[in-house]
């Protein structure tokens, strides 16, 4: 019941909004992703959300929606954190991957996962890196599909995410040398 800039927020309070769009029939239909993006933009406008600090995070089938969203609106997100994303939704095709590569990413994958396999996830990461993207990758060899509890326990999960801003210039291939 408080706004993010309320000075009476508890010290450990999360001063922001969290939006969890749900899709019972999957995120393969672009209209569902476009509706979620419209909803996000309406909330951003209504509540004066900082446009430089909008993060996208998703698990499993929602990871396919994450890739759909960053493919459709790469200008909207400051960072992306997919976990066990079942598909990259065509985000690695030429002409698209170059825009997706501008978003800092931290990708999480279980070594025993069958959908997606570690190889599928690595191929997505490889394509994004080859387009100049900077991708942090956490492979948990002992896990299957459910990587989220382990990932949320990473000591810098939230600090890494909250440290990403669109005002930080994207440096292709992580190399700031001209």
């Amino acid at each position: 019941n408080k706004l993010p800039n309320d000075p009476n927020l508890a010290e450990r309070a999360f001063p922001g909004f969290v939006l969890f769009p749900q899709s019972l029939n999957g995120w393969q239909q672009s209209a569902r992703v476009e509706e979620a993006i419209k909803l996000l933009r309406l909330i951003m406008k209504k509540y004066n959300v900082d446009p430089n600090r909008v993060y996208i995070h998703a698990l499993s089938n929602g990871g396919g929606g994450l890739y759909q969203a960053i493919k459709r609106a790469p200008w909207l997100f400051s960072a992306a954190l997919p976990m066990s994303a079942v598909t990259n939704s065509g985000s690695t095709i030429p002409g698209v991957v170059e825009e997706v590569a501008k978003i800092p990413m931290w990708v999480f994958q279980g070594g025993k996962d069958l959908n997606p396999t570690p190889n599928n996830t690595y191929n997505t990461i490889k394509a994004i890196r080859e387009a100049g993207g900077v991708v942090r990758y956490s492979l948990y060899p002992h896990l299957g599909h459910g990587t989220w509890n382990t990932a949320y326990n990473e000591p810098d999960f939230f600090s890494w995410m909250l440290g990403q801003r669109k005002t930080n210039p994207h440096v292709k291939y992580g190399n700031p040398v001209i």
Side-chain angles (χ1 to χ4, degrees):
N1 63 353
K2 295 183 180 182
L3 293 175
N5 60 352
D6 189 324
N8 295 318
L9 280 176
E11 185 177 316
R12 293 187 45 114
F14 181 76
F17 292 90
V18 180
L19 174 65
F20 294 102
Q22 301 292 308
S23 176
L24 299 176
N25 299 318
W27 291 101
Q28 292 75 24
Q29 298 175 348
S30 62
R32 297 197 192 293
V33 173
E34 289 170 11
E35 289 167 358
I37 290 169
K38 286 178 188 175
L39 178 60
L40 173 59
R41 294 183 71 200
L42 286 169
I43 289 171
M44 289 172 65
K45 184 175 182 178
K46 180 175 172 93
Y47 295 104
N48 196 27
V49 173
D50 183 351
N52 294 309
R53 298 180 68 190
V54 176
Y55 312 103
I56 186 166
H57 165 54
L59 320 171
S60 189
N61 192 36
L66 176 149
Y67 282 111
Q68 277 275 1
I70 63 175
K71 178 174 84 171
R72 296 187 176 289
W75 46 266
L76 185 58
F77 302 104
S78 302
L81 298 97
M83 294 180 180
S84 305
V86 297
T87 176
N88 70 24
S89 299
S91 61
T92 59
I93 61 174
V96 173
V97 70
E98 294 81 8
E99 293 302 311
V100 168
K102 295 176 183 175
I103 303 168
M105 296 181 79
W106 189 355
V107 178
F108 302 87
Q109 172 68 42
K112 296 179 180 178
D113 198 347
L114 300 177
N115 187 21
T117 65
N119 192 51
N120 286 349
T121 298
Y122 182 75
N123 286 336
T124 297
I125 292 168
K126 183 177 179 230
I128 293 169
R129 285 178 175 162
E130 286 174 353
V134 178
V135 182
R136 183 171 173 180
Y137 180 45
S138 291
L139 174 66
Y140 303 117
H142 62 288
L143 294 178
H145 194 64
T147 57
W148 26 96
N149 290 333
T150 303
Y152 293 142
N153 281 320
E154 291 281 353
D156 62 337
F157 179 87
F158 292 100
S159 60
W160 181 89
M161 178 180 66
L162 295 173
Q164 307 306 310
R165 309 258 193 312
K166 283 193 290 187
T167 53
N168 296 344
H170 171 72
V171 179
K172 280 188 126 179
Y173 310 103
N175 183 0
V177 177
I178 297 177

